[in-house]
């Protein structure tokens, strides 16, 4: 069973992502409300995948990606799911170490396809 960390400051978005993932994959979901919360959970546990928003208080998703890669030296696949759909935003997320960049509103099929590609 895959362990997935879902990071978003919106409870509604976390629940929606959780429903999409659990409907299509045998997985255990852990939720985090922002980048700092997620970073603490990444330090404490092994995850197979992280799905994160960008716009969050305390630490945004880009800060999370940067810290996961540079501080924790984590190689866990990270998918950014955000409203920021610009090419520069996408390029920055991928440059910092995200493996995929999807824009909201989320498309369940695209999310599952990306997750399956990253998890093999």
């Amino acid at each position: 069973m895959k362990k997935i960390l879902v990071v978003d400051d919106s409870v509604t978005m976390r629940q929606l992502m959780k429903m999409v993932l659990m409907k299509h994959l045998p997985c255990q979901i852990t939720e985090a409300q922002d980048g700092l919360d997620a970073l603490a959970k990444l330090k404490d546990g092994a995850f197979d995948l992280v799905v994160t928003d960008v716009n969050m208080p305390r630490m945004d998703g880009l800060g999370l990606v940067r810290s996961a890669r540079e501080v924790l030296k984590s190689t866990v696949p990270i998918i950014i799911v955000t409203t920021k759909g610009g090419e520069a935003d996408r390029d920055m997320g991928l440059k910092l170490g995200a493996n995929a960049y999807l824009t909201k509103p989320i498309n369940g099929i695209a999310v599952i396809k990306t997750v399956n590609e990253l998890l093999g």
Side-chain angles (χ1 to χ4, degrees), residues 49-50 52 65 69 77-81 90 93-94 97-102 110 114-115 117-118:
L49 180 75
V50 175
T52 185
V65 172
R69 297 299 189 232
I78 301 174
I79 301 173
I80 293 176
V81 180
R90 182 182 187 283
L94 296 174
N99 299 82
Y101 194 99
L102 303 174
T114 304
V115 167
E117 286 171 1
L118 291 173

Side-chain angles (χ1 to χ4, degrees), residues 47-109:
F47 290 93
D48 298 297
L49 180 75
V50 175
V51 179
T52 185
D53 184 25
V54 170
N55 296 318
M56 297 179 289
R58 299 195 319 148
M59 178 187 280
D60 69 9
L62 297 178
L64 169 60
V65 172
R66 182 184 300 112
S67 294
R69 297 299 189 232
E70 294 176 6
V71 178
L72 298 182
K73 304 296 186 208
S74 175
T75 58
V76 64
I78 301 174
I79 301 173
I80 293 176
V81 180
T82 182
T83 56
K84 296 182 134 207
E87 190 173 331
D89 296 314
R90 182 182 187 283
D91 290 347
M92 177 58 75
L94 296 174
K95 180 181 174 198
L96 289 172
N99 299 82
Y101 194 99
L102 303 174
T103 54
K104 292 178 184 176
I106 66 167
N107 173 331
I109 294 169

